[in-house]
């Protein structure tokens, strides 16, 4: 089962919160049998309500007119795209839209080789993969519900109905938002959708709440629009709701020369850069604070399905994988979307970390009002997600794997990332000097956040912290490993009082991960003038401290 019912203690007022049971794969597929066919023709208007189950007993989302930007409120529907609704009329001859004839598309067929369900390795795919084919006229020939005649032409900003149906059903199976009028819209990835979200909800001069160490691209995206990030304190579970509440409760409009922030941007699972994951109670508390101060939440979750098996320490037996799809979904920390009774969450999902970043394809989930405003932005900018990318994802997820096979793939990723995390943690215990380095095992994502006790540097009394960080960074590079300076992720651009380095275990080989950490350990020993016999603590004892978390081959761990 997934996590969908209204969470206890969340403010609901007089709103109905008697949410039906979460749909499962069987019920979704049974519903499909009785559903109308997908909207036909080129660029057909579509929306998630065509593919959702009954939402009986759920409240409707709040309206967000009071926080939408001027730019967002004045955007009108694209007139030319609105005419596409007539293209499906029987017998209609179109001399209206500027859609080129597929006769002149020089791509007649696409073949992609994808894994069979349960045989997911590169070698297994090479030897026994499925060839999924897409032709130009498969729909007319009765071979498929999606073809290149449609995919390679212009489409709607919300995406093709073929792919939108799958992600809508997937969202319902995993999250089942507890309000009626939720919808999904396809995107060209979370970076683009975040850019549009900032345009929708902020004005130049506004402040935006986010973690005190944050994904730098998100902050830089807002900065170009005149949006200033303000860092909320963190611990090992990420953003602290008490700090968020204090910032908002004590907000001084005159001193800040800005209104109180109305937007929170957060990465709840495997946060970049810290690797922190908000637990269930933490997410509930953050949501309550958002309700208290009427804050809209941008829930960016590229690493949600990279939640790993519990870490039990080096040389210990592995915990058995989830025994079923139900067990897998139950093991995931419930999303903010799954407890959103107000429609105050825009969830950003992406295929970048679970399929391929080059696909540039993802989706958002939010209330009908917010999705409608979002598509007004996308219609005039990105136009529509790549047809080739949507076709590849459709052939993989819809025609080759189905919902069950996709969950099997996500379970496979969970186990693979669990192994990789174990490799880097084992290497840290073996090679990093415990006198100056400490860490917490990440629960999700692909980043490992290492604290360095810079106060133990022999010149700490006279040398600024950032100079010591710079010395460690360049010594590590000279030693043959790239790790990323934590100060680069400081939300407000200050140095802070603690020192961190971000590493990743996502792509390097097992041998390179171990060797890279060894080189980083040697760099630390050299900078701190340790004798090489510094104690190495176990991960259990080696906890982060303080307010934030109380010519040879180069090996990147960035």
């Amino acid at each position: 089962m997934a996590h969908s019912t209204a969470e206890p203690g969340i403010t609901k007022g007089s709103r109905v919160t008697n949410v039906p049971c979460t749909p499962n794969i069987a019920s979704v597929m049974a519903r499909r049998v009785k559903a109308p066919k997908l909207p036909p023709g080129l660029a057909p208007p579509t929306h998630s309500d065509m593919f959702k189950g009954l939402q009986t007993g759920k409240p409707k989302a709040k309206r967000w007119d009071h926080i939408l930007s001027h730019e967002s409120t004045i955007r009108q529907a694209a007139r030319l795209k609105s005419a596409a609704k007539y293209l499906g009329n029987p017998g209609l001859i179109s001399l209206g839209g500027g859609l080129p004839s597929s006769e002149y598309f020089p791509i007649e067929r696409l073949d992609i080789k994808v894994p069979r369900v349960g045989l997911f390795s590169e070698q297994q795919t090479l030897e026994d993969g499925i060839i999924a084919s897409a032709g130009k006229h498969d729909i007319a020939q009765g071979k498929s519900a999606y073809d290149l005649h449609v995919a390679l032409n212009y489409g709607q900003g919300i995406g093709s109905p073929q792919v939108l149906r799958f992600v809508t059903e997937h969202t319902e199976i995993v999250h089942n938002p507890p309000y009626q009028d939720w919808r999904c819209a396809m995107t060209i990835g979370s970076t683009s959708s975040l850019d549009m979200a900032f345009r929708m909800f902020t004005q130049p001069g506004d402040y935006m709440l986010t973690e005190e160490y944050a994904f730098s691209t998100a902050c830089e995206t807002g900065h170009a629009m005149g949006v200033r990030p303000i860092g909320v304190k963190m611990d090992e579970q990420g953003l602290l709701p008490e700090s968020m509440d204090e910032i908002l409760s004590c907000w001084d409009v005159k001193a800040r020369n800005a209104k109180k922030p109305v937007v929170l941007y957060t990465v709840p699972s495997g946060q970049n850069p810290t690797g922190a994951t908000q637990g269930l109670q933490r997410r509930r508390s953050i949501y309550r604070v958002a309700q208290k101060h009427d804050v809209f939440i941008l829930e960016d979750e590229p690493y949600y399905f990279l939640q790993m098996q519990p870490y039990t320490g080096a040389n210990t037996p592995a915990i058995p994988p989830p025994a079923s799809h139900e067990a897998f979904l139950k093991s995931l920390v419930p999303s903010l979307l799954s407890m959103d009774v107000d429609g105050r969450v825009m969830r950003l999902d992406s295929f970048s970390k679970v399929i391929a970043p080059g696909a540039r394809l993802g989706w958002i989930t939010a209330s009908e009002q917010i999705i409608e405003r979002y598509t007004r932005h996308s219609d005039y900018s990105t136009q529509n997600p790549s047809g080739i990318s949507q076709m590849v994802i459709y052939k993989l997820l819809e025609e080759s794997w189905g919902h069950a096979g996709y969950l099997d793939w996500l379970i496979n990723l969970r186990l693979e990332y669990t192994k990789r995390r174990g490799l880097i943690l084992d290497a840290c215990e073996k090679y990093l000097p415990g006198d100056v380095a400490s860490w917490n095992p990440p629960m999700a994502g692909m980043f490992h956040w290492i604290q360095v006790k810079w106060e133990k540097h022999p010149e700490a009394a006279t040398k600024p912290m950032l100079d010591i960080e710079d010395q460690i960074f360049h010594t590590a590079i000279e030693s043959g490993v790239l790790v990323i300076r934590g100060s680069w992720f400081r939300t407000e651009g200050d140095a802070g009082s603690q020192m961190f380095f971000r590493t990743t275990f996502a792509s390097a080989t097992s041998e390179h991960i171990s060797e890279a950490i060894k080189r980083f350990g040697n760099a630390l020993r050299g900078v701190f003038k340790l004798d090489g016999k510094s104690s190495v603590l176990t991960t259990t004892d080696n906890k982060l401290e303080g307010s934030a978390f109380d010519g040879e081959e180069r090996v990147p761990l960035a």
Side-chain angles (χ1 to χ4, degrees):
M1 59 183 292
H3 318 283
S4 60
T5 56
E7 301 295 346
I10 291 177
T11 304
K12 296 177 282 293
S14 61
R15 299 165 67 79
V16 178
T17 56
N18 183 23
V19 180
C21 295
T22 302
N24 56 31
I25 295 172
S27 66
V28 165
M29 299 314 294
R31 188 172 72 220
R32 270 207 199 180
V33 174
K34 302 175 183 179
K37 290 183 178 180
L38 291 170
L42 299 177
T46 184
H47 53 78
S48 288
D49 287 356
M50 297 176 176
F51 316 121
K52 288 159 49 178
L54 293 175
Q55 305 295 304
T56 307
K58 296 181 181 181
K60 295 200 75 173
K62 292 180 61 177
R63 296 283 301 181
W64 301 101
D65 307 81
H66 60 293
I67 67 169
L68 287 172
S69 68
H70 176 68
E71 177 186 352
S72 184
T73 56
I74 66 172
R75 284 193 179 273
Q76 302 296 315
R79 293 173 180 173
L80 292 177
K81 290 205 173 195
S82 66
K85 63 185 177 183
Y86 302 111
L87 294 178
N89 288 4
L92 181 76
I93 299 174
S94 174
L95 297 179
L99 283 69
S101 170
S102 63
E103 179 182 356
Y104 305 115
F105 297 165
I107 302 173
E108 195 67 30
R109 178 187 177 94
L110 286 177
D111 290 337
I112 59 171
K113 193 171 189 178
V114 301
R116 294 182 185 275
V117 174
L119 303 174
F120 293 125
S121 74
E122 276 190 318
Q123 188 61 36
Q124 288 171 324
T125 305
L126 183 65
E127 295 173 355
D128 195 33
I130 302 168
I131 302 294
S133 298
K136 191 179 286 186
H137 301 292
D138 288 350
I139 296 175
Q141 295 168 4
K143 296 179 180 179
S144 176
Y146 199 26
D147 62 18
L148 297 178
H149 167 73
V150 173
L152 296 182
N153 221 311
Y154 287 111
Q156 297 287 344
I158 202 169
S160 71
Q162 292 84 353
V163 182
L164 183 66
R165 177 176 66 178
F166 188 92
V167 301
T168 298
E169 292 170 346
H170 173 77
T171 299
E172 197 167 21
I173 291 167
V174 177
H175 307 287
N176 195 20
Y179 64 95
Q180 290 182 28
D181 48 334
W182 63 272
R183 289 184 175 183
C184 298
M186 303 304 301
T187 72
I188 63 168
S190 293
T191 302
S192 170
S193 50
L194 181 61
D195 177 272
M196 282 188 251
F198 284 162
R199 292 183 179 279
M200 290 170 61
F201 296 115
T202 64
Q203 312 268 13
D206 283 355
Y207 277 90
M208 167 194 72
L209 296 161
T210 190
E211 290 90 348
E212 63 177 326
Y213 290 89
F215 179 40
S216 55
T217 298
C219 294
E220 290 158 3
T221 298
H223 183 266
M225 301 178 196
V227 179
R228 295 168 286 182
I230 184 166
V232 181
K233 291 181 181 179
M234 305 174 72
D235 65 7
E236 71 280 355
Q237 286 193 48
L239 186 146
L240 284 165
E242 300 87 352
S243 174
M244 177 178 164
D245 186 40
E246 181 181 7
I247 290 170
L248 293 169
S249 297
C250 301
W251 191 264
D252 188 327
V253 173
K254 289 185 178 180
R256 294 277 190 177
N257 194 29
K259 67 181 182 182
K260 191 163 75 169
V262 295
V263 172
L264 166 67
Y265 169 77
T266 183
V267 181
S269 307
Q271 195 255 0
N272 184 1
T274 67
T277 296
Q278 299 166 10
L280 172 58
Q281 293 301 330
R282 177 64 54 88
R283 297 184 196 211
R284 287 175 174 169
S285 297
I286 291 170
Y287 190 85
R288 289 191 197 102
V289 174
Q291 286 185 312
K292 176 181 175 182
H293 296 278
D294 202 21
V295 168
F296 195 90
I297 302 172
L298 302 178
E299 180 186 24
D300 191 3
E301 278 285 33
Y303 313 108
Y304 186 73
F305 289 107
L306 300 186
Q307 294 183 49
M308 294 169 276
Q309 299 286 88
Y311 183 71
T312 57
N315 303 316
T316 57
I319 292 178
S324 64
H325 297 143
E326 182 182 51
F328 169 60
L329 294 175
K330 189 176 180 179
S331 73
L332 302 173
V333 181
S335 64
L336 289 166
L337 176 65
S338 74
M339 58 186 73
D340 180 21
V341 295
D342 298 335
R344 70 173 60 250
V345 174
M346 175 193 283
R347 180 181 169 90
L348 287 66
D349 276 289
S350 173
F351 289 116
S352 291
K353 303 302 189 294
V354 295
I355 299 294
R360 303 317 306 141
L361 195 64
W363 72 98
I364 61 167
T365 307
S367 70
E368 179 180 348
Q369 179 195 16
I370 298 305
I371 293 296
E372 187 273 337
R373 289 291 89 197
Y374 180 88
T375 56
R376 298 291 77 81
H377 286 258
S378 61
D379 280 345
Y380 288 106
S381 56
T382 57
Q383 279 278 354
N384 57 269
S386 161
I388 291 180
S389 291
Q390 290 188 90
M391 176 60 77
V392 169
I393 292 297
Y394 177 81
K395 290 294 178 179
L396 175 66
L397 299 187
E398 177 69 45
E399 291 194 350
S400 299
W401 288 355
H403 286 292
Y406 184 42
L407 292 183
D408 286 337
W409 168 253
L410 295 174
I411 293 170
N412 171 69
L413 281 184
R414 176 192 184 99
L415 300 179
E416 291 297 316
Y417 272 83
T418 297
K419 292 176 187 175
R420 286 180 166 274
R421 177 194 60 184
L423 290 171
I424 200 167
L425 291 176
D426 290 351
C428 286
E429 292 181 355
K430 185 175 182 180
Y431 295 119
L432 294 189
D435 289 351
V436 298
S438 57
W439 59 87
N440 282 318
M443 290 176 57
M446 53 180 58
F447 301 112
H448 183 40
W449 189 239
I450 300 171
Q451 182 175 1
V452 174
K453 301 177 180 67
W454 67 275
E455 302 90 344
K456 296 190 176 183
H457 189 278
E459 300 176 45
T462 58
K463 196 169 186 176
M465 183 187 75
L466 289 183
D467 289 353
I468 296 174
E469 182 192 55
D470 185 71
Q471 181 187 9
I472 295 170
F473 176 72
H474 285 98
T475 301
I477 291 175
E478 292 167 3
S479 300
V481 60
L482 175 64
V483 294
I484 299 300
R485 299 163 64 156
S487 64
W488 289 355
F489 300 98
R490 286 287 297 177
T491 293
E492 298 184 41
D494 61 324
S497 60
Q498 297 172 290
M499 183 184 297
F500 301 93
F501 285 87
R502 191 194 76 172
T503 66
T504 179
F505 47 90
S507 59
T509 65
S510 58
E511 295 80 7
H512 279 176
I513 289 174
S514 182
E515 177 62 23
I517 292 297
K518 181 178 180 180
R519 295 177 186 183
F520 184 51
N522 290 337
L524 289 176
R525 288 186 175 87
V527 169
F528 283 84
K529 295 181 170 52
L530 302 175
D531 60 8
K533 297 180 180 179
S534 177
S535 63
V536 179
L537 304 180
T538 65
T539 304
T540 303
D541 298 326
N542 209 10
K543 297 294 185 182
L544 299 180
E545 300 174 354
S547 65
F549 287 92
D550 266 32
E552 57 188 329
E553 181 182 14
R554 302 292 173 178
V555 182
L557 277 178

